[in-house]
């Protein structure tokens, strides 16, 4: 749709919004809320009118193109009856959000605590990573660290550019290497892990919760590849794109706070991709599965300690300014296509939520429209971690992959318990 009068539009669409709504990419995030009680259909329209639409003008806006060819938001009248469908299963809402931070901000703006709606929902505290390696005051220690930082930043950035343009992952049971994967049907499977058990492994290894669940996913994926290829994929080049938030994250804000001028964490999309090589599956993995977690953690920690994430985000922005958002979207499409899988995660509330007096039993999110055969989204809610697998239907056996990830987690849990016994 072409905009006739510029004053009719809202602010410009964010760069990422333009990338993911282009001729190269059409990516959406589907958010699913599972309710504990049957849905009262009569409350749907009033809730959308009184609560959801007023949160942000963009929920009642469409993308239009101005006279300069830039996409902008234009406010329109929303005919809710054309957008509300009553399924025979749990409630589903599917707004297009790309930045998990903004997505959670939207959730916090329209959801309430089930036990006491007058109290705010809270999220797990997020502490900044602290380097506890020792004294940083001496030149003898500081200078080598600076050179190491620069070296790995340049190395990781060049490697990222290569993987985003010229170097493709090997063909494997999770990567067919075909064109047009984004248009194929997707099969879903989800699994729930206890945060208490994850924290047991975390404490034993001295890593983060993300390290534990990512290690389980990587190990489970390798076990699946081994089973499906009879061992021929054990050493294949397999890369996961980990979607990272580039905000200075401390806590989530409501959309009301994010849309304020000069907000500390403004509404919009702020993320970049991190290329993470899956460790190879070796004979000792079954005996010492937590070593697989340690290897995964070392790879991610080393890459996150460089500036590659911010340089990658800056590079895409430079391409957008010089060549336009369509060319930048093509770069992102190629980056996704060359990798084997995509992983992204989100922190959810620690209390039970309710939506229009409907207690929420669980929630999960699914990415749709990305040119990959395997996408994994992770979200925490109350005392659990929900992992949802989106896999190309007919190519990946999603139930077998699910069982392999669950098996990998149990292997890690048993191995961590064994280490605790040895330390006693």
């Amino acid at each position: 749709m072409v905009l006739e009068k510029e004053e009719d539009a809202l602010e410009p669409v964010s760069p990422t919004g333009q990338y993911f709504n282009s001729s190269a990419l059409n990516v959406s995030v589907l958010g699913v809320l599972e309710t504990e009680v049957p849905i009262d259909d009569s409350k749907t329209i009033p809730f959308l009118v009184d609560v959801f639409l007023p949160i942000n003008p963009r929920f009642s806006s469409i993308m239009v193109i101005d006279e300069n060819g830039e996409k902008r938001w234009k406010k329109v009248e929303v005919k809710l009856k054309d957008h509300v469908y009553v399924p025979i299963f749990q409630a589903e809402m599917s707004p297009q959000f790309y930045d998990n931070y903004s997505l959670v901000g939207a959730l916090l703006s329209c959801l309430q605590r089930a036990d006491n709606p007058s109290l705010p929902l809270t999220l797990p505290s997020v502490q900044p990573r602290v380097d506890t390696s020792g004294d940083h005051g001496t030149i003898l220690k500081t200078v080598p660290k600076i050179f190491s930082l620069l070296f790995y930043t340049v190395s990781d950035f060049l490697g990222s550019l290569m993987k985003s343009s010229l170097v493709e992952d090997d063909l494997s049971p999770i990567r067919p290497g075909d064109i047009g994967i984004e248009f194929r049907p997707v099969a879903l499977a989800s699994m729930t892990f206890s945060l208490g058990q994850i924290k047991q492994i975390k404490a034993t290894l001295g890593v983060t919760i993300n390290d534990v669940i990512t290690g389980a996913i990587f190990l489970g994926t390798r076990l699946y590849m081994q089973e499906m290829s009879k061992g021929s994929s054990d050493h294949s080049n397999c890369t996961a794109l980990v979607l990272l938030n580039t905000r200075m994250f401390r806590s989530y804000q409501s959309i009301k706070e994010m849309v304020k001028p000069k907000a500390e964490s403004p509404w919009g999309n702020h993320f970049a991709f991190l290329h993470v090589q899956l460790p190879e599956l070796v004979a000792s993995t079954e005996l010492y599965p937590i070593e697989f977690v340690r290897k995964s953690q070392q790879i991610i920690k080393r890459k996150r300690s460089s500036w590659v994430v911010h340089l990658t985000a800056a590079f895409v922005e430079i391409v957008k300014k010089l060549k336009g958002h369509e060319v930048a979207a093509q770069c992102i499409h190629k980056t996704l296509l060359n990798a084997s899988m995509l992983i992204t995660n989100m922190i959810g509330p620690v209390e039970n939520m309710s939506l229009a007096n409907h207690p929420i039993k669980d929630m999960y999110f699914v990415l749709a429209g990305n040119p990959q055969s395997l996408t994994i989204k992770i979200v925490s809610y109350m005392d659990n971690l929900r992992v949802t697998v989106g896999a190309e239907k007919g190519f990946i056996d999603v139930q077998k992959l699910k069982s392999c990830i669950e098996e990998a987690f149990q292997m890690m849990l048993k191995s961590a318990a064994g280490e605790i016994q040895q330390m006693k």
Side-chain angles (χ1 to χ4, degrees), residues 2 14 35 70 111 127 144 150 160 167 224 238 240 272 302 318 356:
V2 178
S14 68
T35 60
E70 293 294 324
L111 293 169
Q127 301 297 331
L150 294 175
S160 177
V167 180
Y224 171 83
C238 186
R302 214 263 314 139
I318 291 172

Side-chain angles (χ1 to χ4, degrees), residues 152-153 156-157 160 273-274 303 306-313:
Y152 283 123
T153 296
D156 291 342
F157 181 61
S160 177
F273 295 114
L274 183 67
K303 284 182 172 285
S306 73
W307 295 330
V308 64
V309 173
H310 300 284
L311 283 180
T312 302

Side-chain angles (χ1 to χ4, degrees), residues 358-372:
H358 289 67
I360 304 301
K361 179 175 63 177
D362 210 342
M363 65 176 178
Y364 61 94
F365 301 90
V366 181
L367 198 66
N370 55 307
Q372 290 169 306

Side-chain angles (χ1 to χ4, degrees), residues 188-202:
L188 300 178
S190 65
M191 60 209 89
T192 301
F193 299 101
S194 165
L195 277 174
Q197 292 182 332
I198 292 174
K199 289 176 181 178
Q200 289 179 26
I201 303 174
K202 167 183 175 290

Side-chain angles (χ1 to χ4, degrees), residues 124 192-203 208-210 212-213 346-350 378-386 409 413:
T192 301
F193 299 101
S194 165
L195 277 174
Q197 292 182 332
I198 292 174
K199 289 176 181 178
Q200 289 179 26
I201 303 174
K202 167 183 175 290
T208 67
I209 289 177
N210 279 341
V212 174
I213 197 62
M346 188 181 79
I347 300 173
V350 298
I378 308 164
V379 59
S380 66
Y381 179 47
M382 294 192 288
D383 297 323
N384 295 313
L385 203 67
R386 182 83 173 256
F409 183 78
L413 188 63

Side-chain angles (χ1 to χ4, degrees), residues 400-414:
K400 185 178 291 292
L401 176 58
K402 172 186 174 181
S403 67
C404 286
I405 295 175
E406 291 174 333
E407 178 189 354
F409 183 78
Q410 291 302 319
M411 289 169 59
M412 290 163 43
L413 188 63
K414 183 178 179 180

Side-chain angles (χ1 to χ4, degrees), residues 10-17 52-53 55-61 63 73 95-110 245 247 252-271:
L10 301 176
E11 71 258 29
V13 176
S14 68
T16 308
F52 188 74
L53 291 182
I55 290 175
N56 192 311
R58 293 189 191 179
F59 294 159
S60 55
S61 301
M63 289 187 186
W73 291 105
Q96 286 194 345
F97 296 109
Y98 309 108
D99 181 344
N100 287 338
Y101 184 97
S102 296
L103 176 56
V104 176
L107 286 174
L108 294 180
S109 298
C110 60
N245 195 325
R247 299 173 187 265
Y252 290 109
Q253 292 182 321
S254 66
I255 292 182
K256 183 178 180 181
E257 294 296 323
M258 283 190 275
V259 297
K260 288 182 178 180
K262 298 181 180 181
E264 181 180 349
S265 295
W267 171 270
N269 304 287
H270 304 269
F271 67 80

